[in-house]
């Protein structure tokens, strides 16, 4: 088991952080394709970005045997990548190397690091379809221009700040595809970006077009890279959440489960779909896998709460939701989800307090309208409803 820490940006330019972060995430994704490795998800590993603890402590907190640490210095067309594989039990380096390469050789550097790390962890881990070729390491491109735009888009998408940021991310994915129309990972991220824009900012008259475009992008990614788990997962998510077509979403979600056992977000999406379609055992198994891969990600704990709620285990949904809020007190929709569970348990006063704490207005108002009505406060319920 291994965690890839966010590589340190040594370029002297904070605007280059997207590249060092993106490179470490691409390495993580490459290693995760190996069925013989358990690779910690990005969000959990990123909680130790500031290196405030020693290697032994970080490895223990993440529950992994090894850490892959490193740095990136980018100057013009030359990039220097230093990688260090650290034994989590001792804190000593098991393998380290420095790569000085031109930018157009960055994909070979990724593949080289991934292979050497895998081989340092266990002999002969690299097999067909596992870490070992440059295109797989980069997500399917040999274009530095496309790759750079893709990493910029991923950095913006990860911020999730507002509609302008989401649309800026979409523009970068479009730029990546313009530079390389066969870049499967960029098509998959474009689909996720379109789905996010539709879910959070789309107007009624725009939704069908946005979801159709997202589905087409996800399908294009699958056509280009049939084994890309995230593309199948995104297609299933958009069919289910966008078109409300649970039957059509079944096949891509099942395929994502087969291909993406090493991806926490893929397993969490599959778990939520399974829970909401009445498949409790499949949902529970997938959610436990996601929590194992990404135990420090509040989004995964919020998803675990939603899985329990969908299974009508209302009391059991509360601990993971509260855990998510401990990790991120500003998290959206977690207070409302707690309110929903408390409402179903008949704990109406507690539910009202939970809804009142929800930062997302539509979730807060909907919950308050319902709980005030249940409490017999017709005037307060009507006021919340009218505002909603």
């Amino acid at each position: 088991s291994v965690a890839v820490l966010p590589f340190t940006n040594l370029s002297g330019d904070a605007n280059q952080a997207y590249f060092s972060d993106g490179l470490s995430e691409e390495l993580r994704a490459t290693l995760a394709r190996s069925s013989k490795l358990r690779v910690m998800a990005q969000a959990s590993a990123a909680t130790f970005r500031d290196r405030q603890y020693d290697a032994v402590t970080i490895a223990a907190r993440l529950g992994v045997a090894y850490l892959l640490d490193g740095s990136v210095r980018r100057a013009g067309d030359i990039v220097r990548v230093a990688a260090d594989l650290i034994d989590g039990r001792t804190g000593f380096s098991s393998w380290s190397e420095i790569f000085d390469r031109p930018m157009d050789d960055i994909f070979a550097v990724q593949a080289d690091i991934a292979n050497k790390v895998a081989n340092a962890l266990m002999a002969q881990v690299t097999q067909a379809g596992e870490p070992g070729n440059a295109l797989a390491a980069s997500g399917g491109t040999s274009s530095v221009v496309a790759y750079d735009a893709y990493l910029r888009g991923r950095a913006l998408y990860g911020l999730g700040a507002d509609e302008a940021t989401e649309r800026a991310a979409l523009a970068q994915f479009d730029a990546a595809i313009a530079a390389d129309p066969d870049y499967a990972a960029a098509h998959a991220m474009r689909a996720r970006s379109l789905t996010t824009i539709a879910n959070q900012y789309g107007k009624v008259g725009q939704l069908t077009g946005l979801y159709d475009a997202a589905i087409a992008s996800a399908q294009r990614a699958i056509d280009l890279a049939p084994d890309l788990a995230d593309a199948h997962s995104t297609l299933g998510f958009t069919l289910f959440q966008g078109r409300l077509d649970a039957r059509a979403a079944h096949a891509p979600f099942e395929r994502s489960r087969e291909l993406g056992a090493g991806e926490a977000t893929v397993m969490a999406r599959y778990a939520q779909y399974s829970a909401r379609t009445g498949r409790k055992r499949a949902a529970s198994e997938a959610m436990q896998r996601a929590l194992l891969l990404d135990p420090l990600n509040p989004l995964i704990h919020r998803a675990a709460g939603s899985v329990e709620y969908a299974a009508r285990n209302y009391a059991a949904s509360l601990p993971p939701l509260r855990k998510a809020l401990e990790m991120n007190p500003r998290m959206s929709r977690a207070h409302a989800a707690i309110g929903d569970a408390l409402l179903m348990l008949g704990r109406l006063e507690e539910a009202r307090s939970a809804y009142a704490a929800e930062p997302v207005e539509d979730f807060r108002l909907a919950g308050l309208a319902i709980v005030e009505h249940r409490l017999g406060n017709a005037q307060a319920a009507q006021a919340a409803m009218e505002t909603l």
Side-chain angles (χ1 to χ4, degrees), residues 30-42:
T30 302
L31 289 168
R33 294 188 184 104
S34 171
S35 60
K36 296 184 176 67
L37 296 178
R38 179 167 63 84
V39 185
M40 185 61 55
Q42 177 191 17

Side-chain angles (χ1 to χ4, degrees), residues 31-66:
L31 289 168
R33 294 188 184 104
S34 171
S35 60
K36 296 184 176 67
L37 296 178
R38 179 167 63 84
V39 185
M40 185 61 55
Q42 177 191 17
S44 289
T47 60
F48 299 98
R49 174 187 298 278
D50 296 332
R51 315 298 200 273
Q52 66 269 45
Y53 302 105
D54 61 78
V56 173
T57 301
I58 293 174
R61 292 277 296 273
L62 291 172
V64 295
Y66 290 86

Side-chain angles (χ1 to χ4, degrees), residues 186-246:
H187 284 282
M189 282 304 304
R190 181 176 189 270
R192 286 171 63 183
S193 186
L194 285 164
T195 302
T196 298
I197 291 170
N199 285 349
Q200 297 188 17
Y201 308 107
K203 304 297 187 291
V204 172
Q206 302 171 338
L207 292 178
T208 298
L210 287 168
Y211 287 129
D212 287 349
I215 289 166
S217 289
Q219 189 59 62
R220 175 63 175 154
I222 292 168
D223 292 342
L224 290 166
D227 292 339
L228 188 60
D230 187 60
H232 292 277
S233 179
T234 299
L235 177 59
F237 178 81
T238 306
L239 287 167
F240 189 46
Q241 296 285 340
R243 289 187 178 168
L244 307 179
D245 193 340

Side-chain angles (χ1 to χ4, degrees), residues 19-27 72 81 106 110 147 151:
F19 187 82
S20 53
D21 285 352
L23 179 61
S24 54
E25 169 56 12
E26 288 291 287
L27 282 167
V72 180
V81 180
I106 189 64
Q110 285 179 205
Y147 181 62
L151 292 185

Side-chain angles (χ1 to χ4, degrees), residues 80-136:
R80 165 173 282 194
V81 180
D84 189 14
L85 184 66
I86 302 167
D87 189 323
R89 294 163 296 181
T90 65
F92 291 108
S93 177
S94 296
W95 163 85
S96 64
E97 194 162 332
I98 294 175
F99 303 82
D100 287 306
R101 303 283 177 83
M103 265 298 295
D104 59 8
D105 204 23
I106 189 64
F107 310 124
V109 171
Q110 285 179 205
D112 203 3
I113 295 173
N115 275 328
K116 288 179 178 179
V117 168
N119 288 325
L121 290 171
M122 59 182 67
Q124 299 178 347
V125 70
T126 302
Q127 299 176 351
E130 301 198 26
N133 73 65
L135 283 180

